[in-house]
Amino acid sequence: MANSSDVAVQTEGTRMNTDEHSLVQQACAGDLDAFNQLVLQYQGLAYNVALRILSDDAAAEDVTQTAFIAAYRSLSSFRGGSFRAWVMRMVTNACYDELRRRKRRPTTPLEPLSDDGEEEIESPAWLADDGPSPEDQVAQGELEKAIQHCLQGLPDEFRAVVVLVDVQGLDYLEVSEAVRTPLGTVKSRLARGRVRLRDCLQGFWELLPPQFRQVLEGRA
């Protein structure tokens, strides 16, 4: 799958590059090859978002496939704007469906978290999906598990915006479109999600990069 960093950057979540615009027009006109090219462009991003939200490889693959099937069937409803945000709406909707199915089944509860905290902290750059160097793979693997554990402890709506903004790099407007939530609410959920994520990660102090430890020490 393509890495999310290969996806073309869109201005303020509202514009598409010329090639993508042409592919979308062709796909909307029924050109399956054009749609398949769009799938190749966004499948890596879609899978990574689903994996972060669901924390399950197989479920992420299923959700990604479901999302693109839904996108193909709904092409006639696309009215312009950010196609990436529109695809991510399909992905997050499919993830929410999967999470609702899980909640109907018995699960092991996560430790309770406080609902307090509206302050915003800076997005830790090391949350992004950059591959570690060979000598850091073991430590990075443990850190990855800690991050994913803490992400899974977030409420679904917080987790979605944290993953879309801090992990995958979408801008606020795109995320607002993707989750169909007002911009102010997206920012509030992101701020509260970051605070909860930070608090959870304090339990994995020895795994944290020095720059993030400094942030935590400064707030003690």
Side-chain angles (χ1 to χ4, degrees):
M1 290 187 178
N3 187 282
S4 60
S5 62
D6 294 331
V7 177
V9 176
Q10 300 170 8
T11 304
E12 297 180 349
T14 60
R15 298 180 183 175
M16 293 183 289
N17 61 53
T18 302
D19 290 341
E20 180 183 285
H21 181 71
S22 176
L23 287 174
V24 170
Q25 286 187 321
Q26 294 172 48
C28 288
D31 188 333
L32 183 58
D33 287 339
F35 180 76
N36 285 336
Q37 291 184 57
L38 291 169
V39 171
L40 291 175
Q41 183 171 348
Y42 287 112
Q43 65 181 359
L45 173 62
Y47 174 79
N48 287 334
V49 168
L51 181 61
R52 286 290 191 176
I53 293 176
L54 300 175
S55 194
D56 182 287
D57 292 342
E61 290 178 0
D62 290 343
V63 159
T64 300
Q65 182 177 19
T66 298
F68 279 114
I69 290 173
Y72 182 71
R73 292 174 176 172
S74 303
L75 276 172
S76 60
S77 69
F78 179 66
R79 295 292 181 265
S82 169
F83 187 76
R84 177 169 69 168
W86 188 76
V87 170
M88 289 306 101
R89 182 189 306 165
M90 303 295 174
V91 175
T92 54
N93 284 345
C95 286
Y96 286 153
D97 288 343
E98 172 61 21
L99 290 170
R100 282 191 287 268
R101 282 192 290 270
R102 291 182 180 182
K103 287 177 180 177
R104 293 194 292 265
R105 300 194 294 265
T107 58
T108 303
L110 294 167
E111 55 272 19
L113 293 171
S114 170
D115 285 329
D116 296 334
E118 292 286 351
E119 54 190 323
E120 182 167 353
I121 62 176
E122 292 297 323
S123 171
W126 46 271
L127 276 177
D129 287 331
D130 295 325
S133 59
E135 61 271 19
D136 292 333
Q137 284 183 355
V138 173
Q140 184 67 25
E142 292 301 315
L143 176 60
E144 172 67 22
K145 291 178 183 178
I147 292 171
Q148 193 60 34
H149 167 79
C150 291
L151 281 172
Q152 289 304 303
L154 297 178
D156 297 344
E157 64 273 15
F158 289 8
R159 189 188 319 143
V161 297
V162 169
V163 168
L164 290 170
V165 174
D166 286 342
V167 180
Q168 299 301 336
L170 275 69
D171 63 45
Y172 290 169
L173 289 177
E174 287 182 297
V175 176
S176 178
E177 289 183 42
V179 299
R180 290 188 173 180
T181 301
L183 187 61
T185 303
V186 167
K187 291 181 178 179
S188 175
R189 289 178 179 176
L190 181 63
R192 297 179 68 187
R194 284 172 174 172
V195 170
R196 292 191 182 198
L197 188 63
R198 179 202 66 193
D199 291 345
C200 176
L201 285 170
Q202 289 188 78
F204 301 91
W205 184 265
E206 71 282 358
L207 299 176
L208 301 180
Q211 64 269 32
F212 195 61
R213 293 189 190 183
Q214 291 172 7
V215 171
L216 296 181
E217 288 171 339
R219 304 183 66 87

